[in-house]
Amino acid sequence: MLVAIISDTHIPKRAKALPGSCREHLRAADLIVHAGDLITMPVLEELRGYGEVVAVQGNADDDVVQEALPEHLELDLAGRRVVVIHNSGPRFGRVGRLRRRYPGADAVIFGHSHIPLHETDTDGFQLFNPGSATDKRRQPKHTMGLARCSADGVKFTLVTLD
């Protein structure tokens, strides 16, 4: 199963649209995951035009989005338990804190910081932040993520869009 992962798109406030290369990855995926800060419902509707979408609310989303989307999701992706949240909290102690909050999860996908991250703990538990395809802030490039999910595990890849 191929999963395309985006977060913090901030459309239309920070960008007018997703980059073409991002849209190509979305179309090719079996599932699209958005880890919050869509901002408005038309962005979610656009994503649904590329394929099946699951999304969580972010702190900058308008009231309509916040009412429509959950704060977190727990997904079964090819037999692997993957949690999606927006804000993972402070960097210090993040792995242990999320491991305790979501026992049994194979991975947690999050956004909020716009800083791409892939971290694997000693027991194989993974954290993944795709960065942002539209609002890189102080990062050198716009990014998104892909995950290949199978019975063997979850393999994340950070994709540079610039």
Side-chain angles (χ1 to χ4, degrees):
M1 170 179 231
L2 179 63
V3 180
I5 307 163
I6 58 176
S7 186
D8 300 287
T9 47
H10 291 269
I11 295 171
K13 292 183 178 182
R14 302 280 186 196
K16 300 275 187 230
L18 292 167
S21 56
C22 177
R23 293 192 306 265
E24 289 173 22
H25 287 292
L26 298 177
R27 284 186 194 100
D30 299 306
L31 178 68
I32 299 165
V33 171
H34 196 295
D37 281 355
L38 290 135
I39 307 301
T40 64
M41 286 304 285
V43 177
L44 183 58
E45 294 306 318
E46 176 189 347
L47 292 176
R48 288 178 176 152
Y50 301 121
E52 183 181 353
V53 179
V54 295
V56 295
Q57 61 180 256
N59 62 295
D61 289 327
D62 69 18
D63 291 342
V64 175
V65 173
Q66 293 214 4
E67 290 174 17
L69 298 177
E71 290 182 17
H72 80 280
L73 289 169
E74 296 187 27
L75 308 172
D76 181 325
L77 301 177
R80 295 299 175 175
R81 186 169 168 228
V82 178
V83 173
V84 183
I85 59 175
H86 181 62
N87 187 347
S88 67
R91 182 175 50 119
F92 181 76
R94 181 185 288 145
V95 172
R97 183 177 56 254
L98 293 176
R99 175 41 108 196
R100 287 185 300 277
R101 187 178 302 159
Y102 303 108
D106 294 293
V108 174
I109 295 170
F110 67 97
H112 189 60
S113 69
H114 299 228
I115 300 171
L117 172 83
H118 182 210
E119 189 172 349
T120 304
D121 201 13
T122 56
D123 65 356
F125 176 68
Q126 298 180 79
L127 299 180
F128 187 78
N129 184 328
S132 177
T134 55
D135 187 14
K136 65 182 181 171
R137 293 192 181 168
R138 295 174 299 280
Q139 300 308 301
K141 303 282 183 179
H142 292 99
T143 56
M144 67 176 289
L146 296 174
R148 290 229 177 249
C149 304
S150 71
D152 294 330
V154 180
K155 182 177 184 210
F156 290 102
T157 304
L158 186 67
V159 177
T160 301
L161 299 171
D162 296 323

